[in-house]
Amino acid sequence: MMPGDSSMASIVQRIARQALITFRSPPRVGDEPAKSFLENQNKLRSLMTEIRASDLQLVPRRSDDIPSGLPYHDPPVTYMHICETDQFSMGVFLLKNGASIPLHDHPGMHGMLKVMYGKVRISCFDRLEQTDAPPPATPHQVGSLRRSLLRSTAEFTEESGPCVLSPDRDNLHQIDAVDGPTAFMDILAPPYDPDEDRDCHYYKVLAEGEVKTSEKDKEVWLMEISQPPEFWCGGEPYPGPEVCL
């Protein structure tokens, strides 16, 4: 294959190249995205819609499968790293039957998630301005409360299109495995980096103070918490085609 020739490139290679183009100059937080960004994002979305588990050489797992090389008490979630640049990271998350990635945020980040096999339920939230009085809380908890909007809860399979997030829309989400093990490909732009104020924060939904703003959206209060003890993420080798950028 000649350098730059995309006709023979694997779809994961083409996705990585398009992600690099798309997120080379993303819109700033709060700014309207430029036409060129939206066009490139749609190209990336189209490529992500096409990809399947076989393109990554992923074999769908059964509930009783235990990945080789992992201890008996293996983590509920594992991650296969594909590639990372300053602009984006790309990999695959694998969830055991009944596992969840707790409600968390992506500060100032864009993202795109595509199910490879199985089924996930994704609950998406938007952060709102702190205008209303928070629900009753201890003085220690008040600083950890975040007014938010439950934007949607939906199930995704390999036949679904990608789930997309931005700094201002659907930026917080919880991901639950439904009816068995599941895996999804994940792009985040830019990658998490605590030194750049892009650390991952976890939340729980408070029952108090819920207000329906429409039939679909529901205003809620979230409280920032430590990483839940039942959640941790291990690593696995990525078996698919190499990506070169």
Side-chain angles (χ1 to χ4, degrees):
M1 181 175 66
M2 296 294 293
D5 179 11
S6 62
S7 62
M8 298 292 290
S10 68
I11 187 168
V12 66
Q13 175 73 56
R14 287 184 281 140
I15 286 173
R17 287 177 181 167
Q18 185 60 45
L20 190 63
I21 294 169
T22 302
F23 298 116
R24 186 170 287 150
S25 299
R28 295 181 180 180
V29 177
D31 288 354
E32 284 293 321
K35 181 181 178 182
S36 59
F37 173 80
L38 294 176
E39 289 174 347
N40 281 315
Q41 187 182 51
N42 283 333
K43 291 178 182 177
L44 181 59
R45 189 198 302 254
S46 295
L47 288 170
M48 289 282 279
T49 299
E50 294 177 23
I51 196 165
R52 293 295 185 268
S54 58
D55 296 313
L56 303 178
Q57 298 178 22
L58 291 178
V59 178
R61 292 174 177 167
R62 303 183 303 271
S63 296
D64 56 353
D65 283 343
I66 298 178
S68 60
L70 294 176
Y72 178 75
H73 297 293
D74 53 313
V77 178
T78 53
Y79 182 73
M80 294 177 173
H81 173 80
I82 298 177
C83 66
E84 181 170 326
T85 71
D86 290 341
Q87 286 75 37
F88 76 98
S89 62
M90 186 165 73
V92 179
F93 284 95
L94 301 97
L95 281 67
K96 293 176 63 178
N97 183 29
S100 295
I101 298 180
L103 180 58
H104 62 285
D105 63 1
H106 310 79
M109 300 157 68
H110 295 264
M112 200 171 289
L113 177 165
K114 175 65 172 66
V115 175
M116 296 291 97
Y117 64 79
K119 182 190 298 184
V120 298
R121 181 185 303 111
I122 306 178
S123 299
C124 297
F125 296 76
D126 290 354
R127 184 172 285 125
L128 301 176
E129 295 294 326
Q130 306 276 93
T131 55
D132 295 346
T138 67
H140 176 71
Q141 293 173 333
V142 168
S144 301
L145 298 180
R146 305 286 184 271
R147 181 168 165 259
S148 303
L149 194 69
L150 173 58
R151 181 72 68 182
S152 64
T153 298
E155 293 184 347
F156 294 79
T157 69
E158 63 180 316
E159 300 302 325
S160 306
C163 178
V164 179
L165 64 89
S166 73
D168 304 309
R169 181 88 177 196
D170 297 337
N171 189 263
L172 298 88
H173 62 203
Q174 176 171 319
I175 304 170
D176 306 309
V178 179
D179 299 332
T182 185
F184 61 86
M185 187 173 174
D186 191 59
I187 295 176
L188 290 177
Y192 281 114
D193 185 349
D195 292 335
E196 297 290 335
D197 294 324
R198 293 194 304 273
D199 203 359
C200 183
H201 308 92
Y202 296 93
Y203 301 87
K204 71 175 182 178
V205 179
L206 299 182
E208 297 86 0
E210 295 186 357
V211 178
K212 275 202 171 187
T213 57
S214 71
E215 286 301 311
K216 187 168 94 169
D217 300 339
K218 183 168 64 174
E219 190 175 308
V220 298
W221 284 90
L222 305 180
M223 184 169 70
E224 185 177 342
I225 59 173
S226 301
Q227 179 174 317
E230 67 274 10
F231 169 73
W232 73 103
C233 187
E236 291 189 56
Y238 162 63
E242 182 182 4
V243 169
C244 298
L245 294 171

